[in-house]
Amino acid sequence: MTVEPWLIVVGVVVLLLIGLIAIFIARYRTVGPDEALIVTGSYLGNKNVHVDESGNKIKIVRGGGTFVVPIFQQAEPLSLLSIKLDVQTPEVYTEQGVPVMADGVALIKVGSSIGEIATAAEQFLGKTRQDMENEAREVLEGHLRSILGSMTVEEIYKNRDKFSQEVQRVASQDLAKMGLVIVSFTIKDVRDKNGYLDALGKPRIAQVKRDADIATAEAEKETRIKRAEADKEARKAELERMTEIAEAEKINQLKLAEFRQEQDIAKARADQAYHLEEAKAKQEVMAQQMQIKIIERQKQIELEEKEILRRERQYDSEVKKKADAERYAIEQKAAAEKAKQIAEADAQKYRVETLAKAEAERIRLDGLAKAEAEKAKGEAEAEIIRLKGLAEAEAKQKIAEAFERYGQAAVLDMIIKMLPEYAKQVASPLSNIEKLTIVDTGSGAGGGANRVTGYATNLMASLQETLKASTGIDVKQLLENIAQGGTPASPVNPPTASGQQTNTNE
């Protein structure tokens, strides 16, 4: 089987590409932000390349990556993490000749600039981390001892910050030559074996204790004063609060009392208004009922009058004597008038009774409505009197018209026939006497039984005056007019505008 040449070429090219890709992947180096990649050799380019005084070049890569050319270049990582160093010194004599010892803590790291990284790479690349720590510790301890020897114990004791800063300042210059920087330096402890530092602290301690006791006493005094003042203010505030509460309760009670009073007044007014309106409504209902009764009575009277007229017409149509017809008409009309007067009297009685009941009910319901009730009662009584006067005037007017229409003879005949019945009604109280005992004193005609018969005679004699007072008909004058044969003015007193009669004989 023969393979095509072009296929062989393609396979070789593919294999070369795969090899190149594998080599690229294997030789591409990356670093994180906490380390630097130091690349040395040829073909370093110009980016991130450091050249020292001798012309040596190194390429520094931070937080990125680069391709390391095989054979021509090599790369080593350098950590940029900080290193903690515990620095201790043996006994060192101070400026005063007092032996002291000092302990400190330092944080160092490789500098962040290209030059510092290049210097650190030159100093420590190829060494272990422990070697770098030891060299940096020796530098710090040497400078710590030199600073201790140039200061007094009091300066070291009282101003440790200055001591630390001085050590850091002096040591930084030497560490910079190694590519290292001091992040921080702190003195942990300064001590001696002879009690010198303790002796320095005793006066201060005593002073501090004294000041502390004084401050404590002052604080306690201030506390007691403040507590007393606070208690006083608290009691005062409590009293003011209780006073305000009492005042608020008093105001609240007053407002509640005023509210209840207003409620009671409003309720009383509402009840009074309700009772008043109820009484008014009842009065209106009663007035309407009375008006209905009056109208019914009036209609009844009108019907009776129409019936009288019908009978008059029927009587006139019959063949009778004119005098009998006139007498019959007079009798019927008088009966109608009597019925009308009785009906009006009944209506008046009903009205008076109804008003009296309404007034009693109104007084029972609400005493405050008395004025309205009295006013209504007065108006009702005035109306009753007015209606009564009008009725009496109308009755007398009817009688006067009867005189003019039928003549005095017919009227006199009617009155004479009516007198026995009238006298009977007047003397009816005597019939109620079950037993009468007459005592005769023997004093003649004026005593004993004659007084009984004289009472009846006097009663009949005063009958015509009673008739005149009740109906306005003067029987005596009527008889005199007939006896004289003249036709003087009507014996009936005509009504006045106010409903009162005027006696023409007086």
Side-chain angles (χ1 to χ4, degrees), residues 314-322 324-325:
Q314 181 179 0
Y315 187 76
D316 291 339
S317 64
E318 296 176 356
V319 182
K320 289 184 178 181
K321 293 183 180 180
K322 184 177 181 181
D324 293 337

Side-chain angles (χ1 to χ4, degrees), residues 225-241:
I225 293 172
K226 295 294 184 181
R227 186 180 294 114
E229 292 178 353
D231 292 340
K232 178 181 177 182
E233 293 295 330
R235 288 194 296 270
K236 182 179 178 182
E238 182 67 18
L239 292 175
E240 291 178 354
R241 186 182 67 83

Side-chain angles (χ1 to χ4, degrees), residues 90-101 145-156 191-197 200:
E91 288 185 337
V92 177
Y93 288 92
T94 64
E95 185 181 17
Q96 298 169 330
V98 178
V100 294
M101 295 176 289
R145 287 194 296 270
S146 65
I147 299 301
L148 283 173
S150 64
M151 297 179 66
T152 64
V153 178
E154 286 80 5
E155 291 175 347
I156 297 170
R191 62 189 184 279
D192 72 298
K193 296 180 179 180
N194 301 314
Y196 187 88
L197 293 175
L200 289 177

Side-chain angles (χ1 to χ4, degrees), residues 16-288:
L16 290 174
L17 290 174
I18 293 173
L20 291 174
I21 292 172
I23 293 172
F24 181 81
I25 294 173
R27 299 298 294 177
Y28 191 82
R29 302 287 298 275
T30 59
V31 291
D34 59 342
E35 62 182 356
L37 184 64
I38 309 300
V39 182
T40 60
S42 303
Y43 309 107
L44 297 176
N46 297 320
K47 186 178 181 180
N48 296 330
V49 176
H50 176 72
V51 182
D52 60 10
E53 296 177 355
S54 302
N56 297 321
K57 294 182 180 181
I58 60 173
K59 185 177 181 179
I60 301 171
V61 179
R62 292 186 57 194
T66 186
F67 180 74
V68 181
V69 180
I71 301 173
F72 298 101
Q73 296 177 356
Q74 64 178 2
E76 293 290 338
L78 179 64
S79 176
L80 302 179
L81 294 174
S82 61
I83 301 172
K84 178 181 177 183
L85 299 176
D86 290 326
V87 181
Q88 296 179 353
T89 63
E91 288 185 337
V92 177
Y93 288 92
T94 64
E95 185 181 17
Q96 298 169 330
V98 178
V100 294
M101 295 176 289
D103 297 335
V105 176
L107 289 177
I108 65 172
K109 66 182 290 295
V110 177
S112 300
S113 67
I114 297 297
E116 290 172 336
I117 295 174
T119 301
E122 182 181 353
Q123 295 289 329
F124 302 111
L125 199 60
K127 294 182 180 180
T128 63
R129 183 182 180 87
Q130 186 65 39
D131 293 336
M132 185 174 62
E133 291 180 1
N134 291 333
E135 291 180 11
R137 182 180 294 107
E138 289 178 359
V139 172
L140 288 171
E141 287 179 351
H143 287 292
L144 179 60
R145 287 194 296 270
S146 65
I147 299 301
L148 283 173
S150 64
M151 297 179 66
T152 64
V153 178
E154 286 80 5
E155 291 175 347
I156 297 170
Y157 181 78
K158 293 179 180 179
N159 199 346
R160 292 190 181 188
D161 290 338
K162 180 181 178 181
F163 178 37
S164 299
Q165 292 173 3
E166 187 66 20
V167 173
Q168 185 174 351
R169 183 184 64 81
V170 175
S172 296
Q173 298 175 2
D174 291 338
L175 290 175
K177 298 176 182 179
M178 302 167 63
L180 302 176
V181 296
I182 299 176
V183 178
S184 67
F185 181 80
T186 305
I187 298 299
K188 292 173 57 178
D189 185 25
V190 177
R191 62 189 184 279
D192 72 298
K193 296 180 179 180
N194 301 314
Y196 187 88
L197 293 175
D198 292 337
L200 289 177
K202 286 181 179 179
R204 180 60 182 166
I205 292 171
Q207 182 181 0
V208 169
K209 286 183 178 180
R210 182 195 64 191
D211 294 342
D213 293 339
I214 293 172
T216 302
E218 290 291 335
E220 290 178 355
K221 181 181 75 172
E222 292 293 331
T223 301
R224 288 195 295 271
I225 293 172
K226 295 294 184 181
R227 186 180 294 114
E229 292 178 353
D231 292 340
K232 178 181 177 182
E233 293 295 330
R235 288 194 296 270
K236 182 179 178 182
E238 182 67 18
L239 292 175
E240 291 178 354
R241 186 182 67 83
M242 294 176 64
T243 303
E244 291 176 356
I245 292 173
E247 188 68 23
E249 289 179 352
K250 182 183 75 173
I251 294 173
N252 186 31
Q253 293 295 329
L254 291 174
K255 289 183 178 179
L256 288 176
E258 292 176 359
F259 177 73
R260 292 194 187 97
Q261 183 180 6
E262 292 176 357
Q263 261 191 337
D264 294 339
I265 293 172
K267 183 179 180 182
R269 290 178 178 174
D271 293 340
Q272 292 172 1
Y274 171 76
H275 296 324
L276 182 60
E277 292 298 327
E278 185 179 14
K280 288 181 179 179
K282 288 184 177 180
Q283 289 179 357
E284 291 177 358
V285 171
M286 292 178 181
Q288 292 294 331

